[in-house]
Amino acid sequence: MDKVFLFDVDGTLTPSRLQMTEKFAKFFDKWSSKNKYYLVTGSDLNKTKEQLPIAYIDRAEAIFTCCGNQMWRDDELIY
């Protein structure tokens, strides 16, 4: 069985409402290239793109934004 991870953005992958730290980005770059994960955030997609390097957004299986009220994949709104 494959493992799939879900990560909150604000306060988990990044300091609340800020960009990911450089130190954590070095770790997450290696980790995210080898694992399946989804991003979950109360923010909208544009704010999420301000906080995370685009590579980590692109590697995500999908992004649940607006407290899970929207799902995005490859910049396309799924629902």
Side-chain angles (χ1 to χ4, degrees), residues 52-64:
L52 297 174
I54 196 70
Y56 310 148
I57 290 172
D58 289 346
R59 289 178 191 161
E61 297 294 312
I63 304 168
F64 294 92

Side-chain angles (χ1 to χ4, degrees), residues 10-11 14-19 41-44 47 50-51:
D10 288 322
T14 71
S16 193
R17 307 293 293 167
L18 300 174
Q19 291 182 340
T41 179
S43 298
D44 62 20
K47 180 60 180 173
E50 291 175 11
Q51 292 177 265

Side-chain angles (χ1 to χ4, degrees), residues 1 3-5 7-10 12 19 38-39 45 49 51-53 55-57 59-61 72-73 78:
M1 173 184 245
K3 290 183 183 180
V4 176
F5 300 88
F7 289 105
D8 176 52
V9 176
D10 288 322
T12 303
Q19 291 182 340
Y38 291 78
L39 300 174
L45 186 60
K49 287 181 175 183
Q51 292 177 265
L52 297 174
Y56 310 148
I57 290 172
R59 289 178 191 161
E61 297 294 312
W72 296 84
R73 185 177 296 130
I78 304 301

